[in-house]
């Protein structure tokens, strides 16, 4: 799909230019950093669930509602 309307594209470009995007950085909290480190350890030790397993568990949970 492509947009060929030049006026629309110019308006969109102007909106993006004036959006005031900043280049601020984000610093996670101590608790968030700890959770990320725990996640890294889970990955390192293979403590993962496949998307298929998550989907299966979701369906079981939904059936209980």
């Amino acid at each position: 799909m492509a947009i060929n309307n030049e006026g629309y594209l110019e308006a969109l470009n102007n909106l993006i230019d004036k959006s005031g995007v900043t280049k601020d950085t984000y610093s996670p909290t101590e608790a968030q950093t700890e959770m990320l480190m725990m996640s890294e350890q889970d990955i390192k030790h293979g403590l993962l669930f496949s998307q298929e397993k998550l989907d299966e568990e979701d369906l079981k949970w939904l059936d209980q509602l």
Side-chain angles (χ1 to χ4, degrees), residues 26-41:
Y26 172 78
S27 297
T29 66
E30 186 176 325
Q32 290 169 326
T33 300
E34 185 177 341
M35 289 299 295
L36 290 168
M37 293 181 78
M38 290 169 61
S39 296
E40 289 291 329
Q41 288 299 312

